[in-house]
Amino acid sequence: MINIRESRNFDYGNALLASIFSNLAYKQRDSSFVDSVGTTGWTSIGLTESEFGPKGFSPYGIGYGVNDPLNLITGKISGTQSYGIAASRELPGNKTQFAIGFEGSSLELADWTQNAGKYGWSEHYATLIPLFAKVLAQMLDAQAQGKITQLIITGHSLGGAIAQTAFADLLAPRSNLWPDNSTILNEAKRIYSALDDWSDATRQKILDVTSVYTFGAPSFLIEPNKLTSAEAASFVASLPASPGLLSLITFLARTYKAVTVNNAKIPSLSAVNGVSFGSSAFQFGHQNSSWYYPGDIVAQLGSRQPGNTLDINLDNTIQRSYTNALTQFVPGGTHPMGNYQESVIRLITGNTILKAENPLSSTSPLLPETNSNTGLDTINDRFINRDASGLGGNDLFIYRQPGTYTANGGADNDIYTIGSYSISLNLDGASQSDRDTLIFDLSGERSIDYYDLNLDNISDKAVFSVTNGASTSSVTITNWDQWQVSDVFQVSKPADNRWSLIPWTDLDLGPGLDFSVRSEPLDTPLAAEAISSKPYSELLITAEATGLEYEDQDLSLDQILTALRDPAKRDQFRIAINASETDKRSKQSSTSDTSFYRIARNRFALDAIVATPAGVDYSTNILMLMQALAGENETIFKAKEAQLYVASDRQSLTIANNETTTTKDVVGIRSDLISRPSKSSILAYIVLNDGEDPASLSATSLRTRAQHLLSALEEQDTTAFAAPLDQGQTIELTEGRRLAFIEVGGNSIASTSNFTLLRPTQLNPNTVEVRTSLGMVVHLIGQASDDTAGLAAFIARDQKDAPIFNLLGLKLTDILTGQVVVSREANFNTEAGFYRIENTDGAVRDSISGVLILPGEAGYADIALTQSVGRLSNLRVTDNASSVADFSLSGDALTLLAPFAVVNANGIINTYFGFEQANPDGLSHFRIFGDNIFGLEDQPGIGDGDFDDLVVGIMNLTLI
């Protein structure tokens, strides 16, 4: 038995991730499954239909399983109900992490046949080898690209037995896995046969970076001693159609608890170059040393466990919370996976979990406390409420007493937990490494603030906070540009359910590149050394061409700094600036040219001033604020100001003008994306007829009349653009029009009947807010007719219907220059480009016959690809990266252009076009995320529907 304190392979962070994926494996039947997987921030791995085995399925393209249940009518006792979830993610430091979690027993009788029958778990695992092989293939591909990889194999109960079997399949020599069975997992049917390149060196590359974590799992070594087929059939036939979980567990407990593992019949599990079950497998099991409370009997099945048993000797209060009056005294009452996930959370966060004294002879799952401020490089330390340095090892830092602390986990994978308010923890990213985790065991509002202290457009400090009223705890990470945490969680403790973790993937955990800092000189440059002598209001007047004043107060920099260091006064300052902005807009005359800024975008600049240590020159940060305010200005009002009026029933808005005229002018509505949704989605609008009630419109009418307004990338797991792309769009309409706004609940307007009428909110006379059910927030801002024109908008004028660059109207002698930005968040390699089309329906012309071929007609794809534009082709980038490059177009390239993408899905090539009729699955794979910005969904059937697998946009357009 290994000492987990001295094991470099034992990692609480991986145990936590394993508990998440073991729990998710049970959720594949839930309607919220896609959202649950999405919140992890991982990219799911699934099989395509061409890769399915008999009765195979892949729910929403996530994971893989086989659904071949028992046929109770004929009495046939055979079948499988298997499922595994798999995913990967990219981490800083050129690392890729993989996980595969196997579903445990459900109430399907097929599961219990395999639980009871000899080699039933091996049969179960064999159906999931295609998914396991795909995970390993992607892992080996990542290693070939020079990446550092890691694999977690996990499962609960039956799923834990499957996880053990999968690791044994990797570890055991190439022969029949079971010595006395030449059928199940024989040499020709093991994982070796599912991979093209398999050698001892290849196997070692996988074993060296693989760990196994199971929860409440029986020993898979009892496979040869289980019931015969006839005995299993008799057992299952005696069960009711929906057997109770406790009756099944009790049966298995009586049958297998005393089974002695037959060493002559088990696989050869000798260490391979130091890798073994003993070095890499960790098995959590609930136990209880009180004579009247039983432990989890399933975790005790078999006289010998293959890996390290970590017995959780439950405190009696926890035992009672995990069970009820009926089940607390029943063997297996603590068995459910939700209990195990809470136990792992309790172990990591320092909450009550174990008995004060642990009389069990097995290994405790809790590291002993390190009673000094410095750990050892060779062990896994556990520090509690200390200024501590862990050096090396997978260390655990627990903070549950108010105070200010400094910690340094150093090398390897560390966890920092905050379990009380009024805690301030400081970490230096320059001294951290590998994959670390933050956990807030607090209820409250979450926030992340980034700071760019050296004006290089990259944030170098991040502050993670949880606030509840006046109480706050925070973790401040300096040198954020050198190291970022991999996971941030908040513990959820519902009164009627088990504890779980809320990932902060809905907040941006990246290096903070999504804000704009304008550090170029102002029209009238300000020398940093001269700033300190100027009053604050004068600085604003200098920086703001419009002369915005802050309540005419003549404050020195010292005075304003003192005020800003008071959080309450800082919030008042922000509110005052927002109010001033709104007031100036409401008083706007028809002749002036007013600009405004969004203070939310400049919050980091204000906080940078506050964070400047006492005695340090902060004039540079003041200059940064001034430049940010000036650089973020947007001219909104011109000769005529468009007004937007929301109806009293909040079902529509009307476009008006602030001048009385006898003619109806063309005005614009600018849609600005304020918050991205939890899942990529579409916002549309319809122009209503006089007196028309939008609530009365049928789905058919909406599908026919709705027009695209704005789409948005999902809020999480999206690669930052290498250059700032404007994810907004402008539409032009005549005054007096009445609009209604629709949330589109499908892949495209034309392919769905799922529409939701939205209720806009009036913010001020020319700004309206629209919110969708998925969290997209859009501000609609009225503009004047002469403020909507521009080269980018001109080229994007047909994008309400399709992803098209319309360059018609430019002269053939013109040269269009600009930059193309490409961003990728996908496993599949994709090459994108643009091709010439003849009309907005997407037709291409056959160069031989001269005939127009429409999307969906024979030969369209081949002809379209011959029309690609060389200067906008071969657009590619590596995963989780973004690039920007210059381009120029002239001559016959100045026409209608549409996008295409060639996707290499692990050897399967699919080509997608901007018109759904041309695509192999007949679905729309491109989505418009702003003027001249298109996002791709690279999986057949739309996969996870995030449309961020490849994002392409053009910007900084100029005509020569």
Side-chain angles (χ1 to χ4, degrees), residues 20-290:
I20 291 172
F21 280 96
S22 290
N23 204 37
L24 276 174
Y26 284 101
K27 308 297 184 183
Q28 50 106 350
R29 300 171 185 82
D30 295 355
S31 60
S32 60
F33 181 55
V34 173
D35 291 337
S36 297
V37 175
T39 59
T40 65
W42 290 55
T43 299
S44 61
I45 300 173
L47 301 187
T48 63
E49 289 191 18
S50 63
E51 299 169 316
F52 287 0
K55 305 288 186 178
F57 70 99
S58 184
Y60 311 101
I62 301 171
Y64 175 71
V66 170
N67 185 7
D68 188 14
L70 296 177
N71 189 334
L72 297 180
I73 297 176
T74 64
K76 181 182 178 183
I77 307 300
S78 64
T80 298
Q81 176 68 47
S82 64
Y83 179 72
I85 182 173
S88 68
R89 64 171 176 176
E90 300 297 322
L91 295 171
N94 198 35
K95 299 180 177 70
T96 306
Q97 192 173 28
F98 296 85
I100 182 167
F102 298 104
E103 182 185 27
S105 303
S106 66
L107 294 184
E108 298 284 348
L109 293 180
D111 284 349
W112 293 95
T113 303
Q114 293 184 326
N115 277 331
K118 186 178 296 188
Y119 301 114
W121 296 329
S122 297
E123 288 181 344
H124 193 107
Y125 161 70
T127 67
L128 299 175
I129 284 180
L131 177 64
F132 192 32
K134 189 160 190 175
V135 172
L136 298 182
Q138 291 191 12
M139 186 173 170
L140 291 171
D141 182 59
Q143 291 180 352
Q145 298 174 32
K147 293 188 175 182
I148 302 168
T149 61
Q150 184 184 59
L151 171 63
I152 300 170
I153 304 175
T154 188
H156 167 255
S157 191
L158 162 67
I162 304 308
Q164 296 169 25
T165 307
F167 188 67
D169 197 15
L170 286 175
L171 187 67
R174 191 177 308 196
S175 61
N176 296 344
L177 183 67
W178 297 101
D180 68 340
N181 191 309
S182 60
T183 303
I184 300 169
L185 296 181
N186 62 34
E187 184 174 356
K189 295 181 180 179
R190 291 179 56 189
I191 189 66
Y192 306 108
S193 62
L195 294 172
D196 295 331
D197 175 25
W198 191 273
S199 62
D200 288 343
T202 299
R203 178 176 67 155
Q204 195 69 49
K205 288 179 182 178
I206 295 173
L207 287 173
D208 285 344
V209 294
T210 297
S211 56
V212 182
Y213 293 86
T214 66
F215 307 93
S219 171
F220 89 111
L221 298 176
I222 65 174
E223 281 270 64
N225 302 84
K226 289 163 43 177
L227 301 180
T228 65
S229 297
E231 290 169 335
S234 174
F235 159 58
V236 174
S238 69
L239 293 174
S242 297
L245 179 62
L246 291 179
S247 65
L248 294 167
I249 290 175
T250 301
F251 170 84
L252 290 177
R254 282 201 296 265
T255 305
Y256 297 129
K257 181 178 180 182
V259 168
T260 300
V261 172
N262 187 335
N263 291 332
K265 294 185 177 183
I266 66 173
S268 174
L269 302 179
S270 300
V272 179
N273 292 328
V275 179
S276 66
F277 267 94
S279 68
S280 304
F282 305 94
Q283 302 169 230
F284 289 91
H286 285 146
Q287 303 300 338
N288 198 305
S289 57
S290 298

Side-chain angles (χ1 to χ4, degrees), residues 2 99 106 166 169 266 282 285 322 326 357 504 547 551 621 681 687 758 779 852 869 922:
I2 202 168
S106 66
D169 197 15
I266 66 173
F282 305 94
Y322 284 179
L326 177 64
E357 298 295 330
W504 287 29
E551 299 178 357
N621 288 332
S681 55
V687 179
L758 301 175
H779 283 185
L852 289 182
V869 177

Side-chain angles (χ1 to χ4, degrees), residues 423-497:
I423 290 176
S424 176
L425 176 63
N426 299 291
L427 307 176
D428 183 357
S431 60
Q432 306 290 323
S433 65
D434 297 320
R435 177 184 53 79
D436 292 356
T437 301
L438 299 182
I439 300 178
F440 287 90
D441 183 16
L442 300 169
S443 60
E445 182 179 351
R446 302 166 292 145
S447 66
I448 307 176
D449 292 306
Y450 295 110
Y451 303 85
D452 181 17
L453 302 180
N454 57 4
L455 300 179
D456 61 356
N457 285 351
I458 299 177
S459 58
D460 36 43
K461 187 176 86 168
V463 179
F464 299 78
S465 303
V466 173
T467 302
N468 190 348
S471 301
T472 299
S473 278
S474 64
V475 177
T476 298
I477 303 174
T478 55
N479 290 304
W480 179 253
D481 53 335
Q482 299 181 39
W483 170 89
Q484 298 92 45
V485 291
S486 300
D487 293 291
V488 183
F489 297 105
Q490 186 175 24
V491 179
S492 173
K493 302 177 180 178
D496 58 346
N497 209 336

